């Protein structure tokens, strides 16, 4: 292999790295934009969690009045609290990155 071929081989390897990073950046940007677009829904969930309706729904669940086949992770105090806390952490990361 000539010196010229080795030089071009290195350029090709660097181009692969460049393309990989560019694709990851594009994917991350799309994901961040998608996550930011969910913030209205996060506020709805937070409003529900702090409402009397949530307390009533939780009480119904504790009394066994909600059918077993109804998914109700939203009534898990730790689950919804952790989701909201994690959302705040992620949004801080995003906002810090934008500064």
């Amino acid at each position: 292999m000539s010196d010229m071929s080795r030089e071009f081989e290195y350029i090709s390897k660097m181009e692969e790295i460049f393309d990989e990073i560019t694709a990851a950046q594009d994917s991350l940007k799309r994901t961040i934009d998608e996550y930011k677009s969910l913030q209205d829904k996060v506020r709805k969930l937070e409003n529900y969690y702090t409402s009397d309706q949530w307390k009533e729904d939780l009480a119904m669940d504790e009394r066994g009045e909600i059918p077993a086949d109804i998914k109700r992770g939203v009534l898990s105090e730790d689950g919804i609290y952790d989701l909201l806390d994690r959302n705040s952490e992620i949004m801080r990361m995003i906002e810090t990155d934008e500064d």
Side-chain angles (χ1 to χ4, degrees), residues 16-77:
E16 287 175 21
I17 292 170
F18 178 87
D19 290 345
E20 182 181 2
I21 293 169
T22 299
Q25 288 173 336
D26 291 345
S27 175
L28 183 58
K29 175 75 170 105
R30 282 191 304 275
T31 300
I32 288 171
D33 290 345
E34 179 183 341
Y35 196 82
K36 287 165 112 180
S37 75
L38 292 172
Q39 293 310 297
D40 284 343
K41 290 181 178 181
V42 169
R43 281 186 284 285
K44 284 182 185 179
L45 190 58
E46 187 171 23
N47 289 340
Y48 172 64
Y49 178 57
T50 59
S51 71
D52 290 337
Q53 180 65 55
W54 184 85
K55 292 172 189 153
E56 292 170 22
D57 294 345
L58 179 61
M60 281 190 343
D61 186 42
E62 289 172 342
R63 292 190 302 265
E65 297 172 0
I66 298 177
D69 64 337
I70 299 293
K71 189 173 179 199
R72 56 187 172 278
V74 74
L75 298 178
S76 162
E77 286 184 74

Side-chain angles (χ1 to χ4, degrees), residues 5-19:
S5 295
R6 276 189 230 125
E7 185 176 322
F8 292 144
E9 182 179 330
Y10 187 75
I11 291 170
S12 294
K13 286 180 182 178
M14 291 301 105
E15 186 68 19
E16 287 175 21
I17 292 170
F18 178 87
D19 290 345

